[in-house]
mmCIF file of all heavy atoms in Angstrom:
data_model
loop_
_atom_site.group_PDB
_atom_site.id
_atom_site.type_symbol
_atom_site.label_atom_id
_atom_site.label_comp_id
_atom_site.label_asym_id
_atom_site.label_seq_id
_atom_site.Cartn_x
_atom_site.Cartn_y
_atom_site.Cartn_z
ATOM 1 N N HIS S 183 105.676 106.250 80.155
ATOM 2 C CA HIS S 183 105.312 107.000 81.339
ATOM 3 C C HIS S 183 104.013 107.666 81.114
ATOM 4 O O HIS S 183 103.485 107.731 80.047
ATOM 5 C CB HIS S 183 106.480 108.079 81.590
ATOM 6 C CG HIS S 183 106.607 109.108 80.484
ATOM 7 N ND1 HIS S 183 107.509 109.012 79.487
ATOM 8 C CD2 HIS S 183 105.974 110.276 80.313
ATOM 9 C CE1 HIS S 183 107.475 110.020 78.700
ATOM 10 N NE2 HIS S 183 106.509 110.841 79.222
ATOM 11 N N ILE S 184 103.504 108.182 82.232
ATOM 12 C CA ILE S 184 102.251 108.983 82.260
ATOM 13 C C ILE S 184 102.720 110.316 82.784
ATOM 14 O O ILE S 184 103.418 110.545 83.820
ATOM 15 C CB ILE S 184 101.250 108.342 83.175
ATOM 16 C CG1 ILE S 184 100.802 106.984 82.596
ATOM 17 C CG2 ILE S 184 99.985 109.250 83.312
ATOM 18 C CD1 ILE S 184 99.873 106.185 83.436
ATOM 19 N N GLY S 185 102.356 111.376 81.987
ATOM 20 C CA GLY S 185 102.687 112.749 82.309
ATOM 21 C C GLY S 185 101.582 113.388 83.057
ATOM 22 O O GLY S 185 100.422 113.438 82.649
ATOM 23 N N GLU S 230 105.610 110.885 85.399
ATOM 24 C CA GLU S 230 106.352 112.078 85.131
ATOM 25 C C GLU S 230 105.611 113.338 85.521
ATOM 26 O O GLU S 230 104.579 113.569 85.045
ATOM 27 C CB GLU S 230 106.593 112.119 83.569
ATOM 28 C CG GLU S 230 107.432 113.279 82.965
ATOM 29 C CD GLU S 230 107.556 113.210 81.444
ATOM 30 O OE1 GLU S 230 108.399 112.528 80.905
ATOM 31 O OE2 GLU S 230 106.648 113.812 80.860
ATOM 32 N N LEU S 232 105.114 117.250 85.906
ATOM 33 C CA LEU S 232 105.512 118.395 85.144
ATOM 34 C C LEU S 232 105.067 119.680 85.761
ATOM 35 O O LEU S 232 103.838 119.839 85.869
ATOM 36 C CB LEU S 232 104.950 118.219 83.670
ATOM 37 C CG LEU S 232 105.277 116.974 82.963
ATOM 38 C CD1 LEU S 232 104.063 116.550 82.081
ATOM 39 C CD2 LEU S 232 106.508 117.183 82.050
ATOM 40 N N HIS S 254 99.410 113.706 79.632
ATOM 41 C CA HIS S 254 99.639 112.926 78.443
ATOM 42 C C HIS S 254 99.980 111.477 78.903
ATOM 43 O O HIS S 254 100.325 111.195 79.984
ATOM 44 C CB HIS S 254 100.677 113.490 77.509
ATOM 45 C CG HIS S 254 102.063 113.565 78.136
ATOM 46 N ND1 HIS S 254 102.492 114.610 78.879
ATOM 47 C CD2 HIS S 254 103.079 112.726 78.085
ATOM 48 C CE1 HIS S 254 103.808 114.364 79.280
ATOM 49 N NE2 HIS S 254 104.155 113.233 78.773
ATOM 50 N N ILE S 255 99.859 110.574 77.911
ATOM 51 C CA ILE S 255 100.350 109.215 78.012
ATOM 52 C C ILE S 255 101.414 108.933 76.910
ATOM 53 O O ILE S 255 101.236 109.340 75.792
ATOM 54 C CB ILE S 255 99.224 108.168 77.834
ATOM 55 C CG1 ILE S 255 98.138 108.372 78.876
ATOM 56 C CG2 ILE S 255 99.757 106.772 77.913
ATOM 57 C CD1 ILE S 255 96.907 107.500 78.794
ATOM 58 N N ALA S 256 102.534 108.473 77.400
ATOM 59 C CA ALA S 256 103.671 108.303 76.445
ATOM 60 C C ALA S 256 103.801 106.763 76.251
ATOM 61 O O ALA S 256 103.905 105.940 77.086
ATOM 62 C CB ALA S 256 105.004 108.753 77.133
ATOM 63 N N ILE S 290 111.154 112.218 71.301
ATOM 64 C CA ILE S 290 109.746 112.184 71.545
ATOM 65 C C ILE S 290 108.957 112.902 70.394
ATOM 66 O O ILE S 290 109.532 113.758 69.746
ATOM 67 C CB ILE S 290 109.356 112.776 72.844
ATOM 68 C CG1 ILE S 290 109.701 114.294 72.934
ATOM 69 C CG2 ILE S 290 109.991 112.007 74.041
ATOM 70 C CD1 ILE S 290 109.046 115.085 74.055
ATOM 71 N N PHE S 292 104.653 114.315 69.646
ATOM 72 C CA PHE S 292 103.260 114.248 70.129
ATOM 73 C C PHE S 292 102.345 114.131 68.969
ATOM 74 O O PHE S 292 102.555 114.686 67.888
ATOM 75 C CB PHE S 292 102.931 115.554 70.917
ATOM 76 C CG PHE S 292 103.498 115.643 72.337
ATOM 77 C CD1 PHE S 292 104.784 116.274 72.613
ATOM 78 C CD2 PHE S 292 102.876 114.970 73.331
ATOM 79 C CE1 PHE S 292 105.266 116.317 73.801
ATOM 80 C CE2 PHE S 292 103.403 114.988 74.680
ATOM 81 C CZ PHE S 292 104.589 115.660 74.925
ATOM 82 N N GLU S 304 102.072 110.833 73.452
ATOM 83 C CA GLU S 304 103.464 111.022 73.142
ATOM 84 C C GLU S 304 104.123 109.785 72.702
ATOM 85 O O GLU S 304 103.866 108.731 73.355
ATOM 86 C CB GLU S 304 104.177 111.560 74.463
ATOM 87 C CG GLU S 304 105.738 111.737 74.291
ATOM 88 C CD GLU S 304 106.380 112.076 75.682
ATOM 89 O OE1 GLU S 304 105.756 112.707 76.527
ATOM 90 O OE2 GLU S 304 107.515 111.700 75.801
HETATM 91 ZN ZN1 ZN K 224 106.268 112.749 78.566
#
Side-chain angles (χ1 to χ4, degrees):
H183 63 268
I184 294 171
E230 182 181 270
L232 305 145
H254 66 271
I255 297 177
I290 64 164
F292 285 96
E304 172 188 331

